Amino acid sequence: MLEIRLATPDDHTAISVLVVHTFGQPNEHKLVQALRTAGDVALEMVADDDGRIVGHICFSRFVTPEGWWALAPMCVVHDRQGQGIGSEMVRYGLDHARQAKAKAVVVLGDPIYYKRFGFVFDGPATLETHYPKQYTGLFPLDPGTAAAEVALRYPPSFEQV
């Protein structure tokens, strides 16, 4: 039975294997490890199917603006993609962000995929970032963030990968 749950240290090896295999290279794995080491992970969850980790999602805290989270990376094992696992992880993660009183969540990803969860691309907010703006989406949790003008400063781990 599939369960979306918080990741534990016992999951780290399985997460590493999943992330490297799914992305086909080690950059995202190195990012997750660096975020953990730096203490910048705000939330890390897995999709556990009877002891097999089939999905992973990580949220980290921005350096600035304070209280904002970054969703990255997120992946689902190839043979389980298209079954709604990634969608459930995103929904659970956004709910946890809301409960943790995060002000906003930013994702760097496919606008077609992330718009279904309420992420806004090219909306009224002005997000200064060195990543492609057309792929930078905002999920405002605090009403004041929907039209914010901010410079996003990702944790240093993003620059090391």
Side-chain angles (χ1 to χ4, degrees), residues 77-153:
V77 69
H78 294 294
D79 67 347
R80 298 296 300 273
Q81 291 179 4
Q83 297 177 10
I85 296 169
S87 295
E88 283 302 301
M89 289 191 303
V90 172
R91 286 187 192 97
Y92 275 64
L94 293 174
D95 188 51
H96 275 267
R98 185 179 298 107
Q99 291 175 34
K101 307 254 188 273
K103 295 178 181 175
V105 176
V106 175
V107 68
L108 181 65
D110 180 1
I112 294 169
Y113 181 79
Y114 286 102
K115 281 183 180 180
R116 73 176 87 175
F117 307 106
F119 282 91
V120 178
F121 294 78
D122 296 324
T126 303
L127 307 177
E128 183 183 317
T129 176
H130 62 275
Y131 293 110
K133 291 182 182 179
Q134 69 269 27
Y135 297 110
T136 303
L138 172 66
F139 188 88
L141 292 164
D142 180 289
T145 62
E149 293 184 20
V150 297
L152 300 174
R153 188 161 160 233

Side-chain angles (χ1 to χ4, degrees), residues 4 9 20 31 50 92 97 115 131:
I4 308 296
V20 170
L31 172 61
D50 291 324
Y92 275 64
K115 281 183 180 180
Y131 293 110

Side-chain angles (χ1 to χ4, degrees), residues 9-88:
D10 290 342
D11 298 320
H12 289 182
T13 299
I15 290 169
S16 297
V17 171
L18 169 69
V19 172
V20 170
H21 178 73
T22 303
F23 285 102
Q25 45 82 22
N27 289 354
E28 283 77 8
H29 160 67
K30 290 177 183 175
L31 172 61
V32 171
Q33 282 190 314
L35 289 168
R36 284 183 195 138
T37 300
D40 290 328
V41 173
L43 175 68
E44 188 174 11
M45 302 176 79
V46 295
D48 183 330
D49 189 12
D50 291 324
R52 177 182 177 218
I53 303 300
V54 297
H56 172 258
I57 191 167
C58 186
F59 293 81
S60 57
R61 294 174 202 85
F62 277 98
V63 174
T64 58
E66 187 177 328
W68 287 44
W69 289 11
L71 187 172
M74 193 265 293
C75 65
V76 174
V77 69
H78 294 294
D79 67 347
R80 298 296 300 273
Q81 291 179 4
Q83 297 177 10
I85 296 169
S87 295
E88 283 302 301

